[in-house]
Amino acid sequence: MRLQFTSLSKSYKGKRVFEDISGQVNDGDRIGLIGANGVGKSTLARLLAGIEEGDAGQVTRSPSHMEILYVQQYPEFDEDITVYDAARRAVPDGAADAGAVERALYDVGLDRNKWRQRAQSLSGGEKTKLLLCSALLKDYDLLILDEPTNHLDMESCAWLEEFAARQSKPMLIISHDRYFLDNTANRIWELTPQGLKVYEGNYSAYRDQKEIEQRSVTREYQKQQARIQHLKQVIYERKGWYESAHKSAGQNDFYRSKAKKHAGVLKAKERELARIEAERIDKPRKEVSPAFEVINKGVSGQKLPPYLVKGKGITKAFGQKVLFEDAAFNIKRRDKIALIGQNGTGKTTLLRILCGEDRDYEGSITVNPSVRIGYFAQEFDNLNNDATILDEMLAAGAAAQDARLLLAGLLFRGDDVFKKIGNLSMGEKGRAAFAKLILSGANLLVLDEPTNHMDIGAREKMEEVLNEFEGSIIFVTHDRYFIKRLANRVFVVEDNRLQCYDGGYEYYQSKLREKRAKERAGTDYRILMDDIRRLECRLAFLGGRLNETVDEDEKEQLSREYLETARLLNQYRENIKGRC
């Protein structure tokens, strides 16, 4: 299979989306397509899928009858169609038998109790899963997934990674989910206003290559600028020499020859300068780092207690539906806590209780008087749509210079700060609300889905700010990359309970694997662990004996037993890893 496109261009109502881009998809490709919001990623995908036509350029498919399955970003279904019928209709002429349809629904995680529901009534994540049924029921050559992790909780994202890994056909995945791209992509396409660029490897490999590329461009720019300045200086000096020699030459052949030589060198340098100017390297855009002093203005120098917040016996229910019960937790100085759990388990509710927004619960929350809580709600309630971005920052009590410095670090540069809040995209509103929160002087940030609607560049800028922040943070997000970079503790809402892990995301994952292994292995796991501890003790004893003995026969016997014990110990450890 091969899909090739050359010199593609597309515009809507006279506004250019992209121009003159080329690329290809081959067997074995798992391509992650990334780029800023609005750059044309979905448009490119729709052109490749044959859903839309480009203004110019060509798409060549081999074989020509190639079947492309496009899973769109915003799933739509007929008003009255059921989940089961929508899955059945995924196959032309309803060719799939009932057993195949049922297996596909189970495989994507839609249980039988949902099959008679209207497809339109499903959650966003469930709709995506329903569309993915077609990947199990239809024969296709290329699968295109447009923002597939939108609306999915973390467990569903992990399921989708496994789903993608099982697919043998090539894939093109549009996503801002860096963790997902790390685990699924083997090539990255970066779409920018300058064109489409290809990088080998997953997202983390792409980042490493971009850093190397940026350093190389900076060096080449500096080298070129030095050469330009040198040539300008030489040309200036040669002009002076030429004019002086020309005046002095008169009819003197020697001085006329000398003046002619200066003229030749001058013209050669001018030609070289003209050539370099024609191939001038654009000045690399300097990334603005969020200023440490601005970020921590409301935190620096404060003497905060070890524990900022303590919660005991927290129980919350809506009617008969219990979200969590008898939850206990604490928030310490400099904590960066990720609050995770499936959709609908009460994460936002717990944040609202912590902030005093919801007082209808059992139990107690104790907040130290020195704590100033800043709450980032999903609805951006703290923004005035009629104000400019800069005015909103000044209303939070920030100095204009501090506000502009932080805003630049969050990608609001130059005149961007004078945009009206009401005219911003959802991602821009998120960045503005976040900047206002930082400038408010809060020393405990409570963030509910702060990265929603943001592209990768905006998410990484927010991560930079939060990494510099010296206060405490508790945040809800489905962005596992974000969690991995920030969290030093993880709280999980599961089965109506709150579990607190005193370690980052990798620590939480290891504990989760260990827990699942214990559940699968039961008694066998405990026996294995007992055997491992016994073998470790035996190995330590044999090592001591080997160091002490002088008898060669005894040493040889001990050495054989030591090697056999070490082999057995490694085997048992591998068994434990396999169960995890």
Side-chain angles (χ1 to χ4, degrees), residues 106-235:
Y106 277 125
D107 281 350
V108 299
L110 293 173
D111 295 331
R112 187 177 289 273
N113 61 358
K114 293 188 181 291
W115 293 359
R116 295 303 164 196
Q117 278 184 228
R118 288 186 308 110
Q120 266 313 68
S121 70
L122 296 177
S123 69
E126 289 169 334
K127 287 179 180 177
T128 299
K129 289 182 177 182
L130 181 53
L131 282 182
L132 286 169
C133 276
S134 55
L136 300 175
L137 293 168
K138 290 175 70 173
D139 188 24
Y140 62 88
D141 299 295
L142 170 64
L143 176 62
I144 299 179
L145 302 175
D146 194 347
E147 293 287 1
T149 61
N150 276 7
H151 316 295
L152 295 184
D153 56 32
M154 289 171 61
E155 187 173 317
S156 296
C157 286
W159 167 85
L160 185 58
E161 286 168 10
E162 293 174 6
F163 175 90
R166 293 197 302 269
Q167 307 309 305
S168 58
K169 301 294 178 64
M171 284 190 289
L172 174 63
I173 306 161
I174 301 172
S175 184
H176 294 307
D177 188 330
R178 297 159 291 173
Y179 202 95
F180 181 74
L181 292 174
D182 261 355
N183 290 331
T184 56
N186 59 18
R187 182 172 293 173
I188 298 294
W189 285 0
E190 182 190 37
L191 185 60
T192 68
Q194 286 72 48
L196 184 70
K197 196 160 186 181
V198 180
Y199 296 84
E200 296 298 325
N202 63 8
Y203 179 77
S204 291
Y206 152 80
R207 273 194 56 145
D208 292 341
Q209 291 171 70
K210 284 290 286 185
E211 287 177 10
I212 294 169
E213 187 180 278
Q214 185 66 25
R215 288 197 295 270
S216 175
V217 169
T218 300
R219 281 196 303 270
E220 288 302 312
Y221 171 78
Q222 291 169 345
K223 184 178 174 182
Q224 188 185 71
Q225 287 300 303
R227 183 61 182 166
I228 287 171
Q229 292 307 314
H230 171 72
L231 286 172
K232 285 181 176 179
Q233 182 64 31
V234 169
I235 288 168

